[in-house]
Amino acid sequence: MFEEKLDVLSRMTAEHMALPFPPGFRGLDIEDQDMVMLDADAYGYATSVLKGPLTDQHRAGLTRLTAVFGKVLPAIEDEYATRYYTHVRDSSSTGTYRNYFTKVQTVLNQTGLKVY
């Protein structure tokens, strides 16, 4: 299951890099969020997850990022930009999911519990 999530996250990250950045969104703030930085932060967290379990600080940042997408996405009026940032959000959500299960697996390993 972990490897499948990593594969999905890796594919989504590659897809993200292939998509053109939404025209007119450079230098644009929506809901007090710089859209370039939002994109860069999401990509940074996704690539961090691909490298391994996140630190507590990174997990907190990823949680905050998820909340920011909850505010920003409904406020985007451009159809392409909505699809673009939804894809970016979904990539970071996949990272959150994978990181959660990695943490659960770490706890299970430390306690000696097995899941069958």
Side-chain angles (χ1 to χ4, degrees), residues 43-58:
Y43 180 78
Y45 283 118
T47 57
S48 293
V49 168
L50 288 170
K51 293 177 185 175
L54 298 178
T55 64
D56 288 342
Q57 182 179 2
H58 282 102

Side-chain angles (χ1 to χ4, degrees), residues 93-109:
S93 296
T94 300
T96 302
Y97 180 81
R98 186 268 177 170
N99 191 63
Y100 168 77
F101 281 103
T102 301
K103 188 168 176 106
V104 168
Q105 186 64 51
T106 300
V107 170
L108 290 174
N109 290 342

